[in-house]
Amino acid sequence: MALSSRTAPRTPKPTIELEVVSTTRLSPHLVRVRLGGDGFARFQDRVDTDKYAKLKFTTPEGDPVTRTYTIRRVDADAQVLEIDFVVHGDEGLAGPWAASVRPGAALTILGPGGGYAPNPDADWYLFVGDLSAVPAIASALESLATDAVGLAIIEVESADAVLELTAPAGVGVQWIVDPDHEVDRLANAVRAATWRDGHVDVFAHGERESMKALRPALFEERGLERSQVSLSGYWARGRTEDRFQAEKREPVGQFFPEA
């Protein structure tokens, strides 16, 4: 939806200096970094399960860049927050940093922001995504009522990326191993899934073109309303992070183009 000239400007997100407390290798492809320190006192938590922060890094050439990451968990008692990083060897900037960083290292973040939490009035829930969406999906699953029902469908490129997630007994977790990255794989899995009666709340985030392929399955074939669905891309295959972010303002990056 386009913003009107009367829309109030967004409040700038605070800049917070944190330090690495510890790291944990969750799988060959995922590293959890726990961040805390004195700066945590300035962190203003949100109820969103898909809350995120902008992380500041410096390229090998010395240029400042930011990367957007989901905040997996906030532990106010321990004064730490956790961020999970997808790691593919030396590819990228944030992943290699997370794989090699040591306790005491500094990290500057901006945030948090956010926009999704499971609708408590929904009859059932559908979560769809790839490895990049696992932190947000896992957070949402943990926030559900114990009697919640639904399904999470998660695509990964290899079996060693599968994790054990905590979910209510009535919410199934289906992992799809797809090393070929077929763009319609998740959409077809949604089509093949049992569709429950009642009002569904959908969270679908991941690779951009894969998420676009979900649109007809959700809106045309199932007749869902926009208010029922949180749908967007976290990344785009073949694009750098900077190119991907720039394309959000271009037609290729639009999920719901204005008519």
Side-chain angles (χ1 to χ4, degrees):
M1 181 177 67
L3 298 179
S4 73
S5 59
R6 298 179 61 184
T7 302
R10 295 182 179 180
T11 302
K13 295 178 176 62
T15 299
I16 304 170
E17 303 290 339
L18 298 174
E19 66 179 52
V20 175
V21 175
S22 64
T23 65
T24 303
R25 177 73 70 157
L26 302 178
S27 77
H29 309 280
L30 209 60
V31 173
R32 175 167 296 166
V33 178
R34 301 178 82 231
L35 299 161
D38 294 340
F40 184 87
R42 299 189 62 236
F43 182 82
Q44 300 175 3
D45 198 9
R46 301 173 61 103
V47 298
D48 307 279
T49 54
D50 184 34
K51 53 178 167 272
Y52 61 87
K54 301 283 186 180
L55 314 184
K56 290 190 173 185
F57 295 100
T58 302
T59 68
E61 295 75 28
D63 299 319
V65 296
T66 61
R67 295 291 183 262
T68 305
Y69 273 83
T70 301
I71 297 173
R72 172 63 179 86
R73 182 183 291 112
V74 177
D75 187 337
D77 292 333
Q79 298 282 284
V80 297
L81 58 87
E82 299 174 351
I83 298 177
D84 294 349
F85 293 80
V86 177
V87 178
H88 291 295
D90 294 332
E91 180 181 332
L93 184 64
W97 174 86
S100 62
V101 73
R102 294 292 181 263
L107 181 66
T108 300
I109 74 169
L110 285 74
Y116 171 82
N119 178 2
D121 297 323
D123 294 305
W124 65 285
Y125 301 89
L126 176 63
F127 304 97
V128 186
D130 55 29
L131 190 60
S132 70
V134 166
I137 291 175
S139 179
L141 291 173
E142 292 173 0
S143 77
L144 295 176
T146 56
D147 60 350
V149 294
L151 175 65
I153 304 175
I154 305 170
E155 178 188 30
V156 291
E157 64 181 19
S158 58
D160 58 6
V162 174
L163 301 172
E164 183 174 344
L165 302 183
T166 300
V171 181
V173 180
Q174 175 185 346
W175 293 87
I176 298 173
V177 178
D178 179 18
D180 298 324
H181 307 294
E182 294 181 21
V183 71
D184 293 327
R185 181 60 63 89
L186 282 172
N188 289 335
V190 169
R191 291 185 175 99
T194 299
W195 198 263
R196 296 173 178 268
D197 294 331
H199 187 92
V200 62
D201 181 59
V202 180
F203 178 85
H205 292 246
E207 198 280 325
R208 186 176 65 198
E209 298 309 308
S210 181
M211 294 298 103
K212 283 184 178 181
L214 276 168
R215 288 182 306 193
L218 297 174
F219 296 103
E220 298 170 19
E221 299 166 29
R222 290 297 179 180
L224 302 186
E225 301 292 333
R226 286 275 299 275
S227 60
Q228 292 177 257
V229 181
S230 175
L231 174 67
S232 76
Y234 278 156
W235 62 288
R237 196 171 309 282
R239 300 292 199 272
T240 64
E241 169 76 6
D242 296 323
R243 181 66 241 166
F244 168 71
Q245 294 295 338
E247 286 180 345
K248 287 184 176 181
R249 299 183 290 273
E250 301 173 9
V252 69
Q254 301 298 311
F255 276 71
F256 302 100
E258 295 292 336

